[in-house]
Coordinates of all heavy atoms in Angstrom, one line a residue:
M1 N 0.8 -1.2 0.0 CA 0.0 0.0 0.0 C 0.9 1.2 0.0 O 1.9 1.3 0.7 CB -0.9 0.0 1.2 CG -1.8 1.2 1.3 SD -3.2 0.7 2.2 CE -3.6 2.0 3.2
L2 N 0.5 2.2 -0.8 CA 1.2 3.5 -0.9 C 0.7 4.5 0.1 O -0.5 4.6 0.2 CB 1.2 4.1 -2.3 CG 1.8 3.3 -3.4 CD1 1.5 3.9 -4.8 CD2 3.3 3.3 -3.2
S3 N 1.5 5.3 0.7 CA 1.1 6.5 1.4 C 2.2 7.5 1.3 O 3.4 7.2 1.2 CB 0.8 6.1 2.9 OG 2.0 5.6 3.5
V4 N 1.8 8.8 1.4 CA 2.7 9.9 1.3 C 2.3 10.8 2.5 O 1.2 11.3 2.6 CB 2.5 10.7 0.0 CG1 3.5 11.8 0.0 CG2 2.7 9.8 -1.2
L5 N 3.3 11.0 3.4 CA 3.1 11.7 4.6 C 4.1 12.9 4.7 O 5.3 12.8 4.4 CB 3.3 10.8 5.8 CG 2.3 9.6 5.9 CD1 2.7 8.7 7.1 CD2 0.9 10.1 6.0
S6 N 3.6 14.0 5.2 CA 4.4 15.2 5.4 C 5.3 15.0 6.6 O 4.8 14.5 7.6 CB 3.5 16.4 5.6 OG 4.2 17.6 5.9
Q7 N 6.5 15.4 6.5 CA 7.5 15.3 7.6 C 8.3 16.6 7.6 O 8.5 17.3 6.6 CB 8.4 14.1 7.4 CG 7.6 12.8 7.5 CD 8.6 11.6 7.4 OE1 9.7 11.7 7.1 NE2 8.0 10.4 7.8
K8 N 9.0 16.9 8.7 CA 10.0 17.9 8.8 C 11.3 17.4 8.5 O 11.7 16.3 8.9 CB 10.0 18.5 10.2 CG 8.7 19.1 10.7 CD 8.7 20.6 10.4 CE 7.4 21.2 11.0 NZ 7.0 22.4 10.3
K9 N 12.1 18.2 7.7 CA 13.5 17.7 7.4 C 14.3 19.0 7.2 O 13.9 19.9 6.5 CB 13.5 16.8 6.1 CG 14.9 16.3 5.9 CD 14.9 15.2 4.9 CE 16.3 14.7 4.7 NZ 16.4 13.5 3.9
Q10 N 15.5 19.0 7.8 CA 16.4 20.1 7.7 C 16.7 20.4 6.2 O 17.0 19.5 5.5 CB 17.7 19.7 8.5 CG 18.7 20.8 8.5 CD 18.3 21.9 9.5 OE1 17.6 21.7 10.4 NE2 18.8 23.1 9.2
G11 N 16.7 21.7 5.8 CA 17.1 22.1 4.5 C 15.9 22.1 3.5 O 16.1 22.4 2.3
F12 N 14.7 21.8 4.0 CA 13.5 21.7 3.1 C 12.4 22.7 3.7 O 12.2 22.7 4.9 CB 13.0 20.3 3.1 CG 13.8 19.4 2.2 CD1 14.9 18.7 2.8 CD2 13.4 19.1 0.9 CE1 15.6 17.9 2.0 CE2 14.2 18.3 0.1 CZ 15.3 17.6 0.7
R13 N 11.8 23.4 2.7 CA 10.6 24.1 3.1 C 9.5 23.2 3.5 O 8.7 23.4 4.4 CB 10.2 25.0 2.0 CG 11.1 26.1 1.6 CD 10.6 27.0 0.6 NE 11.7 27.7 -0.1 CZ 11.5 28.5 -1.2 NH1 10.3 28.7 -1.7 NH2 12.5 29.1 -1.8
F14 N 9.3 22.1 2.7 CA 8.4 21.0 3.0 C 9.0 19.7 2.5 O 9.8 19.8 1.5 CB 7.0 21.2 2.6 CG 6.8 21.5 1.1 CD1 6.8 20.5 0.2 CD2 6.5 22.8 0.7 CE1 6.6 20.8 -1.2 CE2 6.3 23.1 -0.7 CZ 6.4 22.1 -1.6
Y15 N 8.7 18.6 3.1 CA 9.2 17.3 2.8 C 8.2 16.3 3.0 O 7.4 16.3 3.9 CB 10.4 17.1 3.7 CG 11.2 15.8 3.4 CD1 12.2 15.8 2.4 CD2 10.9 14.6 4.1 CE1 12.9 14.6 2.1 CE2 11.6 13.5 3.8 CZ 12.6 13.5 2.8 OH 13.3 12.3 2.5
F16 N 8.2 15.3 2.1 CA 7.2 14.2 2.2 C 8.0 12.8 2.1 O 9.0 12.7 1.4 CB 6.2 14.2 1.0 CG 5.2 15.3 1.1 CD1 5.5 16.5 0.6 CD2 4.0 15.1 1.8 CE1 4.6 17.6 0.7 CE2 3.1 16.1 1.9 CZ 3.4 17.4 1.3
A17 N 7.5 11.9 2.9 CA 8.0 10.5 2.8 C 6.9 9.7 2.1 O 5.8 9.7 2.5 CB 8.3 10.0 4.2
L18 N 7.4 8.9 1.1 CA 6.5 8.0 0.4 C 6.8 6.6 0.8 O 7.9 6.2 0.7 CB 6.7 8.2 -1.1 CG 5.8 7.4 -2.0 CD1 5.5 8.2 -3.3 CD2 6.3 6.0 -2.3
F19 N 5.8 6.0 1.4 CA 6.0 4.6 1.9 C 5.4 3.7 0.8 O 4.2 3.8 0.5 CB 5.3 4.4 3.2 CG 5.8 5.4 4.3 CD1 5.2 6.6 4.5 CD2 6.9 5.0 5.0 CE1 5.7 7.4 5.5 CE2 7.4 5.8 6.0 CZ 6.8 7.1 6.2
D20 N 6.2 2.7 0.4 CA 5.8 1.8 -0.7 C 6.2 0.4 -0.1 O 7.3 -0.1 -0.3 CB 6.5 2.1 -2.0 CG 6.1 1.2 -3.1 OD1 5.1 0.4 -2.9 OD2 6.6 1.3 -4.2
G21 N 5.2 -0.2 0.5 CA 5.5 -1.5 1.2 C 6.5 -1.3 2.3 O 6.2 -0.4 3.2
G22 N 7.6 -1.9 2.3 CA 8.6 -1.7 3.3 C 9.6 -0.7 3.0 O 10.5 -0.4 3.9
A23 N 9.6 -0.1 1.8 CA 10.5 0.9 1.4 C 10.0 2.3 1.7 O 8.8 2.6 1.6 CB 10.9 0.7 0.0
T24 N 10.9 3.3 1.9 CA 10.5 4.7 2.1 C 11.4 5.5 1.2 O 12.6 5.3 1.1 CB 10.8 5.1 3.6 OG1 10.0 4.3 4.4 CG2 10.3 6.5 3.8
Y25 N 10.8 6.5 0.5 CA 11.5 7.4 -0.4 C 11.0 8.8 0.0 O 9.9 9.0 0.4 CB 11.1 7.1 -1.8 CG 11.3 5.7 -2.2 CD1 10.3 4.8 -2.1 CD2 12.5 5.2 -2.6 CE1 10.5 3.4 -2.4 CE2 12.8 3.9 -2.9 CZ 11.7 3.0 -2.9 OH 11.9 1.7 -3.2
G26 N 11.9 9.8 -0.2 CA 11.6 11.1 0.2 C 11.7 12.1 -0.9 O 12.3 11.8 -2.0
G27 N 11.1 13.3 -0.7 CA 11.1 14.3 -1.7 C 10.5 15.6 -1.1 O 9.8 15.5 -0.1
G28 N 10.9 16.7 -1.7 CA 10.3 18.0 -1.2 C 10.8 19.2 -1.9 O 11.4 19.1 -3.0
L29 N 10.6 20.3 -1.3 CA 11.0 21.6 -1.8 C 12.2 22.1 -1.0 O 12.0 22.3 0.2 CB 9.9 22.6 -1.8 CG 10.2 24.0 -2.3 CD1 10.5 24.0 -3.8 CD2 9.1 25.0 -2.0
T30 N 13.4 22.2 -1.5 CA 14.5 22.6 -0.8 C 14.4 24.1 -0.4 O 13.6 24.8 -1.0 CB 15.8 22.4 -1.6 OG1 15.8 23.3 -2.7 CG2 16.0 21.0 -2.0
E31 N 15.2 24.5 0.5 CA 15.3 26.0 0.9 C 15.6 26.8 -0.3 O 15.2 28.0 -0.4 CB 16.3 26.2 2.0 CG 15.9 25.6 3.3 CD 14.7 26.2 4.0 OE1 14.3 27.3 3.6 OE2 14.2 25.6 4.9
E32 N 16.3 26.3 -1.3 CA 16.7 27.0 -2.5 C 15.6 27.1 -3.5 O 15.7 27.7 -4.6 CB 18.0 26.4 -3.2 CG 19.2 26.5 -2.3 CD 19.3 25.5 -1.2 OE1 18.7 24.4 -1.3 OE2 19.9 25.8 -0.2
G33 N 14.5 26.3 -3.3 CA 13.4 26.4 -4.2 C 13.3 25.3 -5.2 O 12.6 25.3 -6.2
E34 N 14.1 24.2 -5.0 CA 14.1 23.1 -6.0 C 13.3 21.9 -5.5 O 13.4 21.5 -4.4 CB 15.6 22.6 -6.2 CG 15.7 21.5 -7.2 CD 17.1 21.1 -7.6 OE1 18.1 21.5 -6.9 OE2 17.3 20.2 -8.5
L35 N 12.5 21.4 -6.4 CA 11.7 20.2 -6.2 C 12.6 19.0 -6.4 O 13.1 18.9 -7.6 CB 10.4 20.1 -7.0 CG 9.4 21.2 -6.8 CD1 8.3 21.1 -7.8 CD2 8.9 21.2 -5.4
V36 N 12.8 18.1 -5.5 CA 13.6 17.0 -5.6 C 13.0 15.7 -5.0 O 12.0 15.8 -4.3 CB 15.0 17.2 -4.8 CG1 15.7 18.4 -5.4 CG2 14.7 17.4 -3.3
S37 N 13.5 14.6 -5.4 CA 13.0 13.3 -5.0 C 14.2 12.3 -4.9 O 15.2 12.5 -5.7 CB 11.9 12.8 -5.9 OG 11.5 11.5 -5.5
D38 N 14.1 11.3 -4.1 CA 15.1 10.3 -4.1 C 15.2 9.7 -5.5 O 14.1 9.4 -6.1 CB 14.7 9.1 -3.1 CG 14.9 9.5 -1.7 OD1 15.7 10.5 -1.4 OD2 14.3 8.9 -0.8
P39 N 16.4 9.5 -6.1 CA 16.5 9.1 -7.5 C 15.9 7.7 -7.7 O 15.4 7.4 -8.8 CB 18.0 9.0 -7.7 CG 18.6 9.8 -6.6 CD 17.6 9.8 -5.5
D40 N 15.9 6.8 -6.7 CA 15.3 5.5 -6.9 C 13.9 5.3 -6.5 O 13.3 4.2 -6.5 CB 16.2 4.5 -6.1 CG 16.3 4.8 -4.7 OD1 16.0 5.9 -4.3 OD2 16.7 3.9 -3.9
C41 N 13.2 6.4 -6.3 CA 11.7 6.4 -6.0 C 11.0 5.8 -7.2 O 11.1 6.3 -8.3 CB 11.2 7.8 -5.7 SG 9.4 7.8 -5.3
P42 N 10.2 4.7 -7.0 CA 9.5 4.0 -8.1 C 8.2 4.8 -8.4 O 7.6 4.4 -9.4 CB 9.2 2.6 -7.6 CG 9.1 2.8 -6.1 CD 10.1 3.9 -5.7
Q43 N 7.8 5.7 -7.6 CA 6.5 6.4 -7.8 C 6.8 7.9 -8.0 O 6.2 8.8 -7.3 CB 5.6 6.2 -6.6 CG 5.3 4.8 -6.3 CD 4.4 4.2 -7.4 OE1 3.6 4.9 -8.1 NE2 4.5 2.9 -7.6
K44 N 7.6 8.2 -9.0 CA 8.0 9.6 -9.2 C 6.8 10.5 -9.6 O 6.8 11.7 -9.1 CB 9.1 9.7 -10.2 CG 10.4 9.2 -9.6 CD 11.6 9.6 -10.5 CE 12.8 9.2 -9.8 NZ 14.0 9.6 -10.5
E45 N 5.9 10.0 -10.4 CA 4.8 10.9 -10.7 C 3.9 11.2 -9.5 O 3.5 12.4 -9.3 CB 3.9 10.3 -11.8 CG 2.8 11.3 -12.2 CD 2.1 10.9 -13.5 OE1 2.5 10.0 -14.2 OE2 1.1 11.6 -13.8
L46 N 3.7 10.2 -8.7 CA 2.9 10.5 -7.4 C 3.7 11.5 -6.5 O 3.0 12.4 -6.0 CB 2.7 9.2 -6.7 CG 2.1 9.3 -5.3 CD1 0.7 9.9 -5.4 CD2 2.0 7.9 -4.6
M47 N 5.0 11.3 -6.4 CA 5.7 12.3 -5.6 C 5.7 13.7 -6.2 O 5.4 14.7 -5.5 CB 7.2 11.8 -5.5 CG 8.0 12.8 -4.6 SD 7.5 13.0 -2.9 CE 8.2 11.5 -2.2
F48 N 5.8 13.8 -7.5 CA 5.8 15.1 -8.2 C 4.5 15.8 -8.1 O 4.4 16.9 -7.8 CB 6.2 15.0 -9.7 CG 6.6 16.3 -10.3 CD1 7.7 17.0 -9.9 CD2 5.8 16.8 -11.2 CE1 8.1 18.2 -10.5 CE2 6.1 18.1 -11.8 CZ 7.2 18.7 -11.4
R49 N 3.4 15.0 -8.3 CA 2.1 15.6 -8.1 C 1.9 16.0 -6.6 O 1.3 17.1 -6.4 CB 1.0 14.5 -8.4 CG 0.8 14.3 -9.9 CD -0.2 13.2 -10.2 NE -0.5 13.2 -11.7 CZ -1.3 13.9 -12.3 NH1 -2.0 14.8 -11.7 NH2 -1.5 13.8 -13.6
T50 N 2.3 15.3 -5.7 CA 2.2 15.7 -4.3 C 2.9 17.0 -4.1 O 2.4 17.9 -3.4 CB 2.8 14.6 -3.4 OG1 2.1 13.4 -3.6 CG2 2.7 15.0 -1.9
L51 N 4.1 17.2 -4.6 CA 4.9 18.4 -4.4 C 4.3 19.6 -5.1 O 4.2 20.7 -4.5 CB 6.4 18.2 -4.9 CG 7.1 17.0 -4.2 CD1 8.5 16.9 -4.8 CD2 7.2 17.3 -2.7
V52 N 3.8 19.4 -6.3 CA 3.2 20.5 -7.1 C 1.9 20.9 -6.3 O 1.6 22.1 -6.2 CB 2.9 20.1 -8.5 CG1 2.0 21.1 -9.2 CG2 4.2 20.0 -9.3
F53 N 1.1 19.9 -5.9 CA -0.1 20.2 -5.1 C 0.2 21.1 -3.9 O -0.5 22.1 -3.6 CB -0.8 18.9 -4.8 CG -2.1 19.1 -4.0 CD1 -3.2 19.5 -4.7 CD2 -2.2 18.9 -2.7 CE1 -4.4 19.7 -4.0 CE2 -3.4 19.1 -2.0 CZ -4.5 19.5 -2.7
K54 N 1.3 20.7 -3.2 CA 1.7 21.4 -2.0 C 2.1 22.9 -2.3 O 1.7 23.8 -1.6 CB 2.8 20.7 -1.3 CG 3.3 21.4 0.0 CD 2.3 21.3 1.1 CE 3.0 21.7 2.4 NZ 2.0 22.0 3.5
C55 N 2.8 23.0 -3.4 CA 3.2 24.4 -3.9 C 2.0 25.2 -4.2 O 1.9 26.4 -3.8 CB 4.1 24.3 -5.2 SG 5.8 23.7 -4.9
M56 N 1.0 24.6 -4.8 CA -0.2 25.3 -5.2 C -1.0 25.7 -3.9 O -1.4 26.9 -3.8 CB -1.1 24.5 -6.1 CG -0.5 24.2 -7.5 SD -1.3 22.9 -8.4 CE -2.9 23.7 -8.7
N57 N -1.1 24.8 -3.0 CA -1.9 25.1 -1.8 C -1.2 26.1 -0.8 O -1.9 26.8 -0.1 CB -2.2 23.8 -1.0 CG -3.4 23.0 -1.6 OD1 -4.1 23.6 -2.4 ND2 -3.5 21.8 -1.2
D58 N 0.1 26.0 -0.8 CA 0.9 26.9 0.1 C 1.2 28.3 -0.5 O 1.8 29.1 0.1 CB 2.2 26.2 0.6 CG 1.9 25.1 1.6 OD1 0.8 24.8 1.8 OD2 2.9 24.6 2.1
G59 N 0.8 28.5 -1.8 CA 1.1 29.7 -2.4 C 2.6 30.0 -2.7 O 3.1 31.1 -2.6
V60 N 3.3 28.9 -3.0 CA 4.8 29.0 -3.3 C 4.9 29.9 -4.5 O 4.3 29.6 -5.5 CB 5.4 27.6 -3.5 CG1 6.8 27.7 -4.0 CG2 5.3 26.8 -2.2
P61 N 5.7 31.0 -4.4 CA 5.7 31.9 -5.6 C 6.4 31.4 -6.8 O 6.1 31.7 -7.9 CB 6.5 33.1 -5.0 CG 7.1 32.7 -3.8 CD 6.4 31.5 -3.3
E62 N 7.5 30.5 -6.6 CA 8.2 29.9 -7.7 C 9.0 28.7 -7.2 O 9.4 28.6 -6.1 CB 9.2 30.9 -8.2 CG 10.0 30.4 -9.4 CD 11.0 31.4 -10.0 OE1 11.9 31.8 -9.2 OE2 10.9 31.7 -11.2
A63 N 9.1 27.7 -8.1 CA 10.0 26.6 -7.8 C 10.6 26.1 -9.1 O 10.2 26.5 -10.2 CB 9.1 25.4 -7.3
F64 N 11.7 25.4 -9.0 CA 12.4 24.8 -10.2 C 12.7 23.4 -9.9 O 12.7 22.9 -8.8 CB 13.6 25.6 -10.5 CG 14.8 25.5 -9.6 CD1 15.8 24.6 -9.8 CD2 14.9 26.3 -8.5 CE1 16.8 24.4 -8.9 CE2 15.9 26.2 -7.6 CZ 16.9 25.3 -7.8
T65 N 13.0 22.7 -11.0 CA 13.4 21.3 -10.9 C 14.2 20.9 -12.1 O 14.4 21.7 -13.0 CB 12.1 20.4 -10.8 OG1 12.6 19.0 -10.4 CG2 11.4 20.3 -12.1
R66 N 14.8 19.8 -12.1 CA 15.6 19.3 -13.2 C 14.8 18.2 -13.9 O 13.8 17.7 -13.4 CB 16.9 18.7 -12.7 CG 17.7 19.8 -12.0 CD 19.0 19.4 -11.3 NE 19.5 20.4 -10.4 CZ 20.1 21.5 -10.7 NH1 20.3 21.8 -11.9 NH2 20.5 22.3 -9.7
D67 N 15.2 17.8 -15.1 CA 14.5 16.9 -15.9 C 14.9 15.4 -15.5 O 15.6 14.7 -16.2 CB 14.9 17.1 -17.4 CG 14.0 16.3 -18.3 OD1 13.0 15.7 -17.9 OD2 14.3 16.2 -19.5
V68 N 14.5 15.1 -14.3 CA 14.9 13.8 -13.7 C 13.7 13.0 -13.3 O 13.8 11.9 -12.8 CB 15.8 14.0 -12.4 CG1 17.1 14.6 -12.8 CG2 15.1 14.8 -11.4
W69 N 12.5 13.5 -13.6 CA 11.3 12.8 -13.2 C 10.7 11.8 -14.2 O 9.8 11.0 -13.8 CB 10.2 13.9 -12.9 CG 10.6 14.8 -11.8 CD1 11.3 16.0 -11.9 CD2 10.4 14.7 -10.4 NE1 11.5 16.6 -10.7 CE2 10.9 15.8 -9.7 CE3 9.7 13.7 -9.7 CZ2 10.9 15.9 -8.4 CZ3 9.7 13.8 -8.3 CH2 10.2 15.0 -7.7
G70 N 11.1 11.9 -15.4 CA 10.6 11.0 -16.4 C 9.2 11.4 -16.8 O 8.4 10.6 -17.2
L71 N 8.9 12.7 -16.7 CA 7.6 13.2 -16.9 C 7.7 14.4 -17.9 O 8.7 15.0 -18.0 CB 6.9 13.8 -15.6 CG 6.8 12.8 -14.5 CD1 6.3 13.5 -13.2 CD2 5.7 11.7 -14.8
D72 N 6.6 14.7 -18.6 CA 6.5 15.9 -19.4 C 6.2 17.1 -18.4 O 5.0 17.3 -18.0 CB 5.4 15.8 -20.4 CG 5.2 17.1 -21.3 OD1 6.0 18.0 -21.1 OD2 4.3 17.0 -22.1
L73 N 7.2 17.8 -18.0 CA 7.1 18.8 -17.0 C 6.2 20.0 -17.4 O 5.6 20.7 -16.6 CB 8.5 19.3 -16.5 CG 9.4 18.3 -15.9 CD1 10.8 18.8 -15.7 CD2 8.7 17.7 -14.6
A74 N 6.1 20.2 -18.7 CA 5.2 21.3 -19.3 C 3.8 21.1 -18.9 O 3.0 22.0 -18.7 CB 5.4 21.4 -20.8
R75 N 3.4 19.8 -18.7 CA 2.0 19.5 -18.3 C 1.7 20.0 -16.9 O 0.5 20.2 -16.6 CB 1.7 18.0 -18.4 CG 1.8 17.5 -19.8 CD 1.6 15.9 -19.8 NE 0.4 15.5 -19.2 CZ 0.2 14.7 -18.2 NH1 1.3 14.1 -17.7 NH2 -0.9 14.4 -17.8
F76 N 2.7 20.3 -16.1 CA 2.6 20.7 -14.7 C 2.9 22.2 -14.6 O 2.9 22.7 -13.5 CB 3.5 19.9 -13.8 CG 3.1 18.5 -13.7 CD1 3.7 17.6 -14.7 CD2 2.3 18.0 -12.8 CE1 3.3 16.2 -14.6 CE2 2.0 16.6 -12.7 CZ 2.5 15.7 -13.6
G77 N 3.1 22.9 -15.8 CA 3.3 24.3 -15.8 C 4.7 24.7 -15.8 O 5.0 25.9 -15.6
F78 N 5.7 23.8 -15.9 CA 7.1 24.1 -15.9 C 7.6 24.4 -17.3 O 7.2 23.7 -18.2 CB 7.9 23.0 -15.2 CG 7.7 22.9 -13.7 CD1 6.5 22.3 -13.2 CD2 8.7 23.3 -12.9 CE1 6.4 22.3 -11.8 CE2 8.5 23.3 -11.5 CZ 7.4 22.7 -11.0
R79 N 8.5 25.4 -17.4 CA 9.1 25.8 -18.7 C 10.6 25.7 -18.6 O 11.1 26.0 -17.5 CB 8.6 27.2 -19.1 CG 7.1 27.4 -19.2 CD 6.7 26.7 -20.5 NE 5.2 26.7 -20.6 CZ 4.4 25.7 -20.7 NH1 4.9 24.5 -20.5 NH2 3.1 25.8 -20.8
P80 N 11.2 25.3 -19.7 CA 12.7 25.3 -19.6 C 13.3 26.7 -19.3 O 12.8 27.7 -19.8 CB 13.1 24.8 -21.0 CG 11.8 24.4 -21.7 CD 10.7 25.0 -21.0
D81 N 14.4 26.6 -18.5 CA 15.1 27.8 -18.2 C 16.6 27.4 -18.0 O 17.0 27.1 -16.9 CB 14.6 28.5 -17.0 CG 15.3 29.8 -16.6 OD1 16.0 30.4 -17.5 OD2 15.2 30.2 -15.4
G82 N 17.3 27.3 -19.1 CA 18.7 26.8 -19.1 C 18.7 25.4 -18.7 O 18.1 24.6 -19.4
Q83 N 19.4 25.0 -17.7 CA 19.5 23.6 -17.3 C 18.4 23.1 -16.4 O 18.4 21.9 -16.0 CB 20.9 23.4 -16.5 CG 22.1 23.7 -17.4 CD 22.2 22.7 -18.6 OE1 22.0 21.5 -18.4 NE2 22.4 23.3 -19.7
V84 N 17.4 24.0 -16.0 CA 16.3 23.6 -15.1 C 15.0 23.9 -15.8 O 14.9 24.5 -16.9 CB 16.5 24.3 -13.8 CG1 17.8 23.9 -13.1 CG2 16.4 25.8 -13.9
F85 N 13.9 23.6 -15.1 CA 12.6 23.9 -15.5 C 12.0 24.7 -14.3 O 12.1 24.3 -13.2 CB 11.8 22.6 -15.7 CG 12.2 21.9 -17.0 CD1 13.3 21.1 -16.9 CD2 11.5 22.0 -18.1 CE1 13.8 20.4 -18.0 CE2 11.9 21.3 -19.3 CZ 13.1 20.6 -19.2
R86 N 11.3 25.8 -14.7 CA 10.7 26.7 -13.7 C 9.2 26.8 -13.8 O 8.7 26.8 -14.9 CB 11.3 28.1 -13.8 CG 12.7 28.2 -13.4 CD 13.2 29.6 -13.3 NE 14.6 29.6 -13.0 CZ 15.2 29.4 -11.8 NH1 14.4 29.2 -10.8 NH2 16.5 29.4 -11.7
A87 N 8.5 27.0 -12.7 CA 7.1 27.3 -12.7 C 6.9 28.3 -11.6 O 7.6 28.4 -10.6 CB 6.3 26.1 -12.4
D88 N 5.8 29.1 -11.7 CA 5.4 30.0 -10.7 C 4.0 29.8 -10.2 O 3.3 29.0 -10.8 CB 5.7 31.5 -11.1 CG 4.9 31.9 -12.3 OD1 3.8 31.4 -12.5 OD2 5.4 32.7 -13.1
A89 N 3.6 30.6 -9.2 CA 2.2 30.4 -8.7 C 1.1 30.4 -9.7 O 0.1 29.7 -9.6 CB 2.0 31.5 -7.6
G90 N 1.3 31.2 -10.8 CA 0.3 31.3 -11.8 C 0.3 30.2 -12.8 O -0.6 30.0 -13.6
S91 N 1.4 29.4 -12.8 CA 1.5 28.4 -13.9 C 1.5 26.9 -13.3 O 1.3 26.0 -14.1 CB 2.8 28.6 -14.7 OG 3.9 28.4 -13.9
F92 N 1.7 26.8 -12.0 CA 1.6 25.4 -11.4 C 0.2 24.8 -11.8 O -0.8 25.5 -11.7 CB 1.6 25.4 -9.9 CG 2.9 25.8 -9.3 CD1 3.1 26.8 -8.4 CD2 4.1 25.0 -9.6 CE1 4.3 27.1 -7.8 CE2 5.3 25.3 -9.0 CZ 5.4 26.4 -8.1
C93 N 0.2 23.6 -12.2 CA -1.1 22.9 -12.5 C -0.9 21.4 -12.3 O 0.2 20.8 -12.4 CB -1.6 23.2 -13.9 SG -0.6 22.7 -15.2
L94 N -2.0 20.7 -12.1 CA -2.1 19.3 -12.0 C -2.9 18.8 -13.2 O -4.1 18.9 -13.2 CB -2.7 18.8 -10.7 CG -1.9 19.1 -9.4 CD1 -2.6 18.8 -8.2 CD2 -0.6 18.3 -9.5
P95 N -2.3 18.2 -14.2 CA -3.0 17.7 -15.3 C -3.9 16.5 -14.9 O -3.6 15.7 -14.0 CB -1.9 17.2 -16.3 CG -0.7 17.0 -15.4 CD -0.9 17.9 -14.3
R96 N -5.1 16.5 -15.5 CA -6.1 15.4 -15.3 C -6.0 14.5 -16.5 O -6.2 14.9 -17.6 CB -7.4 16.0 -15.1 CG -7.5 16.8 -13.8 CD -8.8 17.5 -13.6 NE -9.9 16.6 -13.8 CZ -11.2 17.0 -13.6 NH1 -11.4 18.2 -13.3 NH2 -12.1 16.1 -13.7
D97 N -5.7 13.3 -16.3 CA -5.6 12.3 -17.3 C -6.9 11.4 -17.5 O -6.9 10.4 -18.2 CB -4.4 11.4 -17.1 CG -3.1 12.2 -17.1 OD1 -3.0 13.2 -17.9 OD2 -2.2 11.9 -16.3
C98 N -7.9 11.8 -16.7 CA -9.1 11.0 -16.8 C -9.9 11.3 -18.1 O -9.9 12.4 -18.6 CB -10.0 11.3 -15.6 SG -9.3 11.1 -14.0
K99 N -10.5 10.2 -18.6 CA -11.4 10.4 -19.7 C -12.8 10.3 -19.3 O -13.2 9.4 -18.5 CB -11.1 9.3 -20.8 CG -9.7 9.5 -21.3 CD -9.6 8.6 -22.5 CE -8.1 8.5 -23.0 NZ -7.6 9.3 -23.8
E100 N -13.7 11.2 -19.7 CA -15.1 11.1 -19.3 C -15.9 10.2 -20.2 O -15.6 10.0 -21.4 CB -15.7 12.5 -19.4 CG -15.1 13.5 -18.4 CD -15.8 14.8 -18.3 OE1 -17.1 14.8 -18.6 OE2 -15.2 15.8 -18.0
G101 N -16.8 9.5 -19.5 CA -17.8 8.8 -20.2 C -17.8 7.6 -20.8 O -18.4 7.0 -21.4

């Protein structure tokens, strides 16, 4: 069973632990404003969605990340900026992949 729980961690504005069976993986928003995750996390999209949702709910003005998620970051409002991808409060979004009907 998967669960994602908020935790306090030094060096992070917010941090989450993702529990996948007996394994635990972490990710969060660093003090520098970067969205990061453990490289071996098998549920990177779930972690990324959790982090973007938290940014949206907390009114984070801007965040950046690297192309390490295996996702189309533009779908979440991130745009290329040199070696990173950036999004701001007005562009963060959670794409819905559900089909109606």
Side-chain angles (χ1 to χ4, degrees):
M1 180 154 140
L2 293 173
S3 62
V4 182
L5 301 174
S6 178
Q7 298 184 344
K8 298 270 187 202
K9 185 166 182 173
Q10 183 75 25
F12 286 83
R13 294 185 203 175
F14 56 78
Y15 184 83
F16 289 89
L18 184 148
F19 301 93
D20 185 3
T24 303
Y25 307 93
L29 179 66
T30 67
E31 293 291 346
E32 294 78 29
E34 182 175 5
L35 296 175
V36 298
S37 177
D38 288 339
D40 56 344
C41 178
Q43 301 291 333
K44 286 195 178 185
E45 183 167 355
L46 174 59
M47 179 63 79
F48 195 70
R49 284 179 174 274
T50 300
L51 300 178
V52 170
F53 182 76
K54 179 73 170 163
C55 285
M56 293 168 68
N57 279 349
D58 285 8
V60 172
E62 183 182 57
F64 70 94
T65 192
R66 299 175 196 284
D67 190 14
V68 295
W69 298 90
L71 303 169
D72 178 3
L73 299 174
R75 294 177 58 235
F76 295 87
F78 286 78
R79 299 287 176 244
D81 182 17
Q83 298 296 314
V84 299
F85 291 78
R86 292 190 185 279
D88 59 34
S91 65
F92 289 124
C93 64
L94 291 174
R96 295 175 51 178
D97 298 327
C98 302
K99 296 190 190 270
E100 292 189 30

